[in-house]
Amino acid sequence: MSAVTTFHDFRTAPAPTRLRLTRRGRIVFFGIPVMLLVAALLSLAGFLNSPAKASDSQAQLQPPVAVSVTVQPGQSLWGIAGAAAPERDPRDVIAEIIQLNDLRGGRIQPGQQLFVPAN
């Protein structure tokens, strides 16, 4: 029996092969970073184009003036809102009363002290 032996010369390294990407690989390799960059740029553009703006004038920066009112028997938020600001829509005034007093469900009781906008 004859044994054939081949010897490899280890002193010479094989030539490096070039990395080849498939179409899907190119999309993943280049597409995902591009999408992340676009998302970051859009977010940055949103922050730069919409600065925080509290109000247009100094009058709008003043806190609303409120007076204290005691709820009488038979009174409702609608009646209190109508008496406090007859020139305004009662629904808007009721919303302000609820917000000023942190009312849950809009329920009031006789004898309760409420802050009512004085505008």
Side-chain angles (χ1 to χ4, degrees), residues 66-77 79-81 83-84 97 101 108-116:
V67 294
S68 179
V69 174
T70 303
V71 178
Q72 301 299 320
Q75 273 189 321
S76 65
L77 281 176
I80 294 171
I97 293 171
N101 297 285
I108 57 173
Q109 310 248 336
Q112 183 178 2
Q113 294 286 326
L114 293 178
F115 292 108
V116 178

Side-chain angles (χ1 to χ4, degrees), residues 19-111:
L19 178 65
R20 292 184 181 195
L21 291 175
T22 62
R23 181 173 181 260
R24 184 183 299 168
R26 283 190 300 271
I27 290 172
V28 170
F29 190 73
F30 295 112
I32 291 177
V34 167
M35 287 191 305
L36 291 175
L37 179 65
V38 167
L41 290 175
L42 288 174
S43 297
L44 182 63
F47 286 126
L48 296 177
N49 288 333
S50 61
K53 183 177 178 183
S55 65
D56 288 330
S57 67
Q58 184 69 18
Q60 292 176 343
L61 292 176
Q62 301 296 330
V65 179
V67 294
S68 179
V69 174
T70 303
V71 178
Q72 301 299 320
Q75 273 189 321
S76 65
L77 281 176
W78 190 271
I80 294 171
E87 71 281 351
R88 293 178 53 197
D89 186 3
R91 293 171 290 198
D92 294 335
V93 180
I94 290 171
E96 287 183 33
I97 293 171
I98 289 173
Q99 183 180 12
L100 282 171
N101 297 285
D102 196 27
L103 295 176
R104 305 282 183 216
R107 294 194 178 109
I108 57 173
Q109 310 248 336

